[in-house]
Amino acid sequence: MDYVYGPGRNHLFVPGPVNIPEAVLRSMNRNNEDYRSPAVPAMTKTLLEDVKKIFKTTTGTPFLIPTTGTGAWESALTNTLSPGDRTVSFLIGQFSLLWIDQQQRLKFNVDVVESEWGQGANLDILESKIAEDTAHTIKAICIVHNETATGVTNNLAKVRKILDNYRHPALFLVDGVSSICAIDFRMDEWGVDVALTGSQKALSLPTGIGIVCASPKALEASKTAKSVRVFFDWNDYLKFYKLGTYWPYTPSIQLLYGLRTALDLLFEEGLDNVIARHSRLGKATRLAVEAWGLKNCTQREEWVSDTVTAVLVPPHIDSTEIVKRAWKRYNLSLGLGLNKVAGKVFRIGHLGNLNELQLLGCLAGVEMVLRDVGYPVKLGSGVAAASAYLHNNTPLIPSRI
Amino acid sequence: MDYVYGPGRNHLFVPGPVNIPEAVLRSMNRNNEDYRSPAVPAMTKTLLEDVKKIFKTTTGTPFLIPTTGTGAWESALTNTLSPGDRTVSFLIGQFSLLWIDQQQRLKFNVDVVESEWGQGANLDILESKIAEDTAHTIKAICIVHNETATGVTNNLAKVRKILDNYRHPALFLVDGVSSICAIDFRMDEWGVDVALTGSQKALSLPTGIGIVCASPKALEASKTAKSVRVFFDWNDYLKFYKLGTYWPYTPSIQLLYGLRTALDLLFEEGLDNVIARHSRLGKATRLAVEAWGLKNCTQREEWVSDTVTAVLVPPHIDSTEIVKRAWKRYNLSLGLGLNKVAGKVFRIGHLGNLNELQLLGCLAGVEMVLRDVGYPVKLGSGVAAASAYLHNNTPLIPSRI
Amino acid sequence: MDYVYGPGRNHLFVPGPVNIPEAVLRSMNRNNEDYRSPAVPAMTKTLLEDVKKIFKTTTGTPFLIPTTGTGAWESALTNTLSPGDRTVSFLIGQFSLLWIDQQQRLKFNVDVVESEWGQGANLDILESKIAEDTAHTIKAICIVHNETATGVTNNLAKVRKILDNYRHPALFLVDGVSSICAIDFRMDEWGVDVALTGSQKALSLPTGIGIVCASPKALEASKTAKSVRVFFDWNDYLKFYKLGTYWPYTPSIQLLYGLRTALDLLFEEGLDNVIARHSRLGKATRLAVEAWGLKNCTQREEWVSDTVTAVLVPPHIDSTEIVKRAWKRYNLSLGLGLNKVAGKVFRIGHLGNLNELQLLGCLAGVEMVLRDVGYPVKLGSGVAAASAYLHNNTPLIPSRI
Amino acid sequence: MDYVYGPGRNHLFVPGPVNIPEAVLRSMNRNNEDYRSPAVPAMTKTLLEDVKKIFKTTTGTPFLIPTTGTGAWESALTNTLSPGDRTVSFLIGQFSLLWIDQQQRLKFNVDVVESEWGQGANLDILESKIAEDTAHTIKAICIVHNETATGVTNNLAKVRKILDNYRHPALFLVDGVSSICAIDFRMDEWGVDVALTGSQKALSLPTGIGIVCASPKALEASKTAKSVRVFFDWNDYLKFYKLGTYWPYTPSIQLLYGLRTALDLLFEEGLDNVIARHSRLGKATRLAVEAWGLKNCTQREEWVSDTVTAVLVPPHIDSTEIVKRAWKRYNLSLGLGLNKVAGKVFRIGHLGNLNELQLLGCLAGVEMVLRDVGYPVKLGSGVAAASAYLHNNTPLIPSRI
């Protein structure tokens, strides 16, 4: 049974791992299979073809690696760069911090561009660095599309533009862990060289697949990159792609079938509709926060995130208490504030297979929790603000019209 | 896959079948087993012992019949009565109507006591009938504890009192389909002779087990009851109970394991806590209805139901549209108005394994739907009223303190 | 967890409930749904259409009743006959005995034609009765297609021929519980009036749906049949069929989706291939029994069953010990001998979603158990005989060629 | 549905991924959870404590890494060694080859001790190398306990003895991927410094957890090891162990619950009984091979493996055809011959949650396949030889006595 049982459903609103659709749970409910039989490669082939669509790429090469987001980062970096290589990387929250930490431990020369937590990547500084770098010492720009710790979405099109303006050849590496499949992302159009996400995020699967997609330029770079790697080496995959057996080591059969179903659901809903749904839920959440009289950790409208909202609490309140209380009393799982914003923010994940009423239930719960910890929110106020928006913007479910 | 897919979870708020806890789904996820092996009787024994607790009986004999509530009704009637027997039965809504229809088709002489839909059983008329019946021509009182069509709960203690006052020997047969395990029910204390429920109601299982419990007096009556019966004959069960093999015909292995887990969850939460939770959710729902400016179909406070609320809509609105719209736009399943109240009420089931935030999500959805169909509800008003109550009355989850 | 755990898989070889395919388990692994939404009728419609194919009927009307085989019997009888009606019914084993018992308790005038257990229905006696009955006092012939207790299959075409030869209008009611979907069955061609099976048999689902199919003549008979019935009344179904909502009372959502998948799998394999597979496995089992020097309970080749083999054990051995031992030592579930053949036979079910190697594993297990109880079988002898046949007769799996 | 459907169960006899017990599938059938709630660390704590038992260690520190066996190898190596370090590593089959390849690509100085495929590690050569190495240039002995490609089990106690005899301080790194939980393994007693396995092997889970256990000496080595690592760095785990939150990045909730159940099942059966069961099934398989007149790839009795048997086929037969045919005709999944033994051997995995009759079904299948490809095996001969042994050596299932 569960380790700590509560009646009714757990309301899972952390920004990952997220709610798994029943159809996906069903498809994963199966015995192991021989991955060397003809059946598994046949299915894998469809996965590799279809997964490109979530990156909006036709030229990229995807890798489904049995790992987490952290492993996907490592795959992106070690296959394209060599120790000592200069990267420009933006520190804007806990996850960009961890990626930078990884870059440093992998012995790259990381040029860190730091912003206050709650702000987006400082692209003016990027521009000046690129402008100055006529010698092309910068080998890669590493950027987190959506910083999950602060609810900040960066403008990737602008990064591309800067690189193009200066005809700078740096690789463009993007952590799309909490954006891809939920926030507009265009690998080919934006010239992203490596993009990555994790199965437990917008794809709404369990943890276990790091999905990495490499541009032709990234694949080319992998031929000379000197970072030591074996488990994460793309070459092992490419070798088995050629053989048509696809797997250098044992994949999780269950996750492959789960991914198949997750993609089927995404395409049935339509990727654009999925993104519109996230946008709708994100907007509704922000309106609720405003109605509560609280501030979004994200400092400017241009950076707001449609997959997670970090809510600043008044100084006399410890946001950790909010998260604890939500779980203990209402079976509601919210995201903690991490590192610099620990105690200062709590986070509402609105990511993955989720709908309007699930969100409104969560918002109603947050209101009660806020009262529990002494913040005098007017009960129903956030729900009212969010519903007003949702009521005007939620389409009929296409299959039910 | 699902026949009509929508993103996110279906919000299931019909008054049955209700939401199944994940732990129950898990326990049912299994291959068939030989029900004649020693394992199945060993488990069945624990089920028969434990299921008595949900009826609050120590003297009753339970039967787990592979059927629905309709079959459970037939089991209760045919085992205790003979064609031509006089029953007093209360017509107060669709389900009491269907039970009366069954009684008539089974050739009993049904003395129907009708009330307006929205009212409870008229116990004054019962009293006068009992008082007059010194010849004891009335063989059974048949009463629906909770009329699921109108959200009306009858006072069973009072029925018992009337019978006792007149020392009337009539059998006391109770349909507890939408009450048992959710609304206070006391088989032994109230001298109920046959009580019954269905697995898909408060027990939060799939449909498939009609659970019938017979008092010693009912068992005695079964020895002389002349109604023709085979599939529903208690005797076949009793024969196999004595043999210790328990099953006269093949049970659903999956439902037995599911029932085992459902009972474990009920006892872990505590039956009194489960009833308190239903009372809390029922009250919150009624406060929301009031805040919306709508009327409860139930005409008096004494009859309000803690498992389902039938909401009257203004005359110019068709409640069927509300139910359709809820499903089509918000993935919310509400109960239709049935028969006499078709088009006039919609129903919110708050029954089974459910918690506060699930209900608030539903209420927020109802608000939007009401607006959709032209009723000028103030968005957030019902949620506010419900949360105000829930915020004051929801205990911490015991296992998480 | 399981009540009595053993390592590895349970080898389920009782003649029902049978092994459930993983794909069916998956499709049933789901929350409840509102059966009054548009989705459930939409699916039900496909089920009612497709289920006719397993009966080989285009004119029949199917009913999916939430009950067991015993309930399906009761449905067949009470909808077509009136108390006092004369039926001719064949007693050839435990299940035909139970059906006759039901017929008697339902107050029909049962003309029992008894055969020794191990023999088929005595159709010569049927012929003489039909020949004599120029007054058409016989209202129905009730016959078990495959007697699960003795492994005897009756010749239904011959029954039809006899009726036709004498232009006798008796209804032709067939228990196809352990035959339909596994042994050749042709409702329309053989003029069967009511045919029935249960979900836990060849359809390889959990227990819970009694599937009954009525010919136009049977439906006509139901209009005047006077047997008292409510839960089993076809009329309630027909009423809802007309409304397009299909369900007079709550179906099991899980079983509906399970049935959908079970039918999909059957049609993917091809009904004729399914029947050929059962024939293959039945033949292989009988060859093994012969190789062990044991006798089939079925006395003549014309009656052998392709879904269950009842094996006679030597007089000094108690077959119950074989079944116990198989379960205790090898996690193998065999069928007990029932009633008259208790202690004298054990049964090997080879019914449902099963393949060659599963059967050979079972046969190898039976050999070891036979040695355990003191019968000097040559280990490997039955497997050798069965494999010799299977090796010559097993086709490639079509989807894998 | 499945990609390539066949009737009945797939007979999964590859040496990994192996059959998952139903109870484990059930426990994994669940939604995601917030891994930062108090529930997940509470469960993780029990896992880390209990997983030590399968290594037979009380002093080791386990790591549950979201990766495969290849990643577990990398974790073992990079945390304990520095580029340029000398390792002694034994090449005896495909998996030892791949590990050596990894060691070379990670820039270690690998001293390869090669044996003919089908032989065990040459420990005489090891002894001479250790004897010569008075300067202690050898930093680690890397050995695969059970080479899955050839079915060869190495003698680890002897390795320890050699190191002890010469008081050599080399680290002792063991790949126990296809041995731990199935073949006797004693981390503490044999002074193993790093031992590792994968969830999809004897633990009978899906792929996804690389389980690595480090001795105190290995942990000490990790403080100075200079191999570049981030995802695989033990330090990140140790930091979170201290905090009591356990996870440096998102674990698979489903696999954690699955591992909990897998360990519960192992302990319920008893680890020694599990090992005895593997020994019994291994011996039975080898007897069958002998009865078929075929040779085991393993050249000496001292090396035979109780988890996988590689069977040499006569020169005129292509073993790949056997594997293909088994899958296409009998739904039987056997292991291919890999690399040097491709076409020359097929492999029968007898690993994980498996019992006697499952194995006998497989052996009966292999016999038919052998005939299919033109090898004149006597049908039933292998099954007879295996059953003769199993019949004498299989205990009653303890819970069923």
Side-chain angles (χ1 to χ4, degrees), chain D residues 64-68 197-200 205-211 255-256 259:
Chain D
L64 305 173
I65 307 172
T67 188
T68 67
T197 187
S199 52
Q200 81 279 19
L205 286 159
T207 306
I209 315 184
I211 305 171
L255 282 173
L256 295 188
L259 179 55

Side-chain angles (χ1 to χ4, degrees), chain B residues 126-183:
Chain B
L126 174 67
E127 179 153 19
S128 64
K129 284 182 190 284
I130 290 293
E132 280 167 22
D133 184 37
T134 50
H136 297 169
T137 63
I138 299 170
K139 296 305 177 201
I141 312 301
C142 300
I143 188 163
V144 172
H145 189 191
N146 185 72
E147 170 55 64
T148 319
T150 55
V152 162
T153 305
N154 287 310
N155 187 335
L156 299 184
K158 212 163 161 185
V159 173
R160 177 75 270 160
K161 203 151 178 235
I162 292 168
L163 290 172
D164 284 354
N165 285 348
Y166 296 88
R167 297 173 186 261
H168 196 288
L171 290 164
F172 184 13
L173 311 186
V174 176
D175 164 345
V177 167
S178 60
S179 69
I180 286 167
C181 279
I183 294 175

Side-chain angles (χ1 to χ4, degrees), chain C residues 265-284:
Chain C
L265 294 179
L266 279 173
F267 301 149
E268 179 168 346
E269 187 176 353
L271 194 50
D272 289 345
N273 293 333
V274 171
I275 287 167
R277 177 165 52 78
H278 280 87
S279 157
R280 193 159 67 239
L281 297 181
K283 177 76 176 169

Side-chain angles (χ1 to χ4, degrees), chain A residues 14-274:
Chain A
V14 296
V18 307
N19 294 286
I20 305 173
E22 253 200 8
V24 171
L25 283 180
R26 269 196 292 281
S27 69
M28 293 190 307
N29 182 37
R30 64 175 64 232
N31 194 17
N32 281 327
E33 278 183 38
D34 176 19
Y35 73 98
R36 289 188 169 102
S37 89
V40 176
M43 181 178 51
T44 303
K45 201 178 168 201
T46 74
L47 294 176
L48 290 173
E49 210 43 59
D50 284 347
V51 92
K52 290 199 272 185
K53 298 176 191 165
I54 68 171
F55 290 99
K56 294 207 173 149
T57 183
T58 57
T59 59
T61 299
F63 304 98
L64 305 174
I65 307 170
T67 189
T68 68
T70 304
W73 281 344
E74 195 154 326
S75 160
L77 297 169
T78 57
N79 280 284
T80 55
L81 298 169
S82 304
D85 274 359
R86 181 179 172 201
T87 64
V88 174
S89 211
F90 302 88
L91 199 176
I92 65 168
Q94 178 64 7
F95 293 94
S96 42
L97 174 82
L98 287 171
W99 200 18
I100 287 168
D101 173 63
Q102 186 183 64
Q103 290 163 40
Q104 290 168 334
R105 287 160 71 186
L106 292 171
K107 314 289 186 202
F108 306 128
N109 172 16
V110 191
D111 192 341
V112 178
V113 180
E114 190 164 0
S115 302
E116 201 181 325
W117 289 31
Q119 298 190 351
N122 191 325
L123 300 185
D124 294 339
I125 296 186
L126 175 67
E127 179 152 21
S128 65
K129 283 181 190 286
I130 291 293
E132 281 166 22
D133 184 39
T134 50
H136 296 169
T137 64
I138 299 171
K139 296 302 175 202
I141 312 300
C142 300
I143 188 164
V144 172
H145 189 192
N146 185 72
E147 168 58 62
T148 319
T150 56
V152 161
T153 305
N154 287 310
N155 188 334
L156 300 183
K158 211 163 163 185
V159 173
R160 177 76 272 157
K161 201 150 182 236
I162 292 167
L163 290 172
D164 284 355
N165 285 349
Y166 295 89
R167 298 173 188 260
H168 195 288
L171 290 164
F172 184 12
L173 311 186
V174 176
D175 164 346
V177 168
S178 59
S179 70
I180 286 166
C181 279
I183 295 174
D184 188 26
F185 180 82
R186 310 175 185 201
M187 185 162 177
D188 283 2
E189 187 178 329
W190 297 341
V192 172
D193 290 303
V194 188
L196 59 93
T197 186
S199 51
Q200 81 277 19
K201 297 288 185 170
L203 278 164
S204 303
L205 286 160
T207 307
I209 314 183
I211 304 170
V212 176
C213 198
S215 73
K217 185 170 150 193
L219 281 189
E220 198 54 37
S222 75
K223 293 177 184 163
T224 52
K226 293 200 168 40
S227 291
V228 168
R229 62 199 182 270
V230 182
F231 181 76
F232 291 117
D233 198 337
W234 294 345
N235 257 322
D236 295 281
Y237 282 85
L238 294 171
K239 205 168 75 183
F240 286 88
Y241 287 5
K242 261 182 214 146
L243 294 172
T245 54
Y246 293 107
W247 297 105
Y249 28 73
T250 321
S252 161
I253 295 299
Q254 292 73 21
L255 283 172
L256 295 189
Y257 279 96
L259 178 57
R260 183 61 271 161
T261 301
L263 291 169
D264 289 345
L265 293 179
L266 279 174
F267 300 150
E268 179 168 344
E269 186 176 354
L271 194 50
D272 288 347
N273 292 332
V274 171

Side-chain angles (χ1 to χ4, degrees), chain C residues 385-399:
Chain C
S387 324
Y389 180 77
L390 293 173
H391 178 252
N392 285 327
N393 292 280
T394 302
L396 293 178
I397 299 171
S399 60

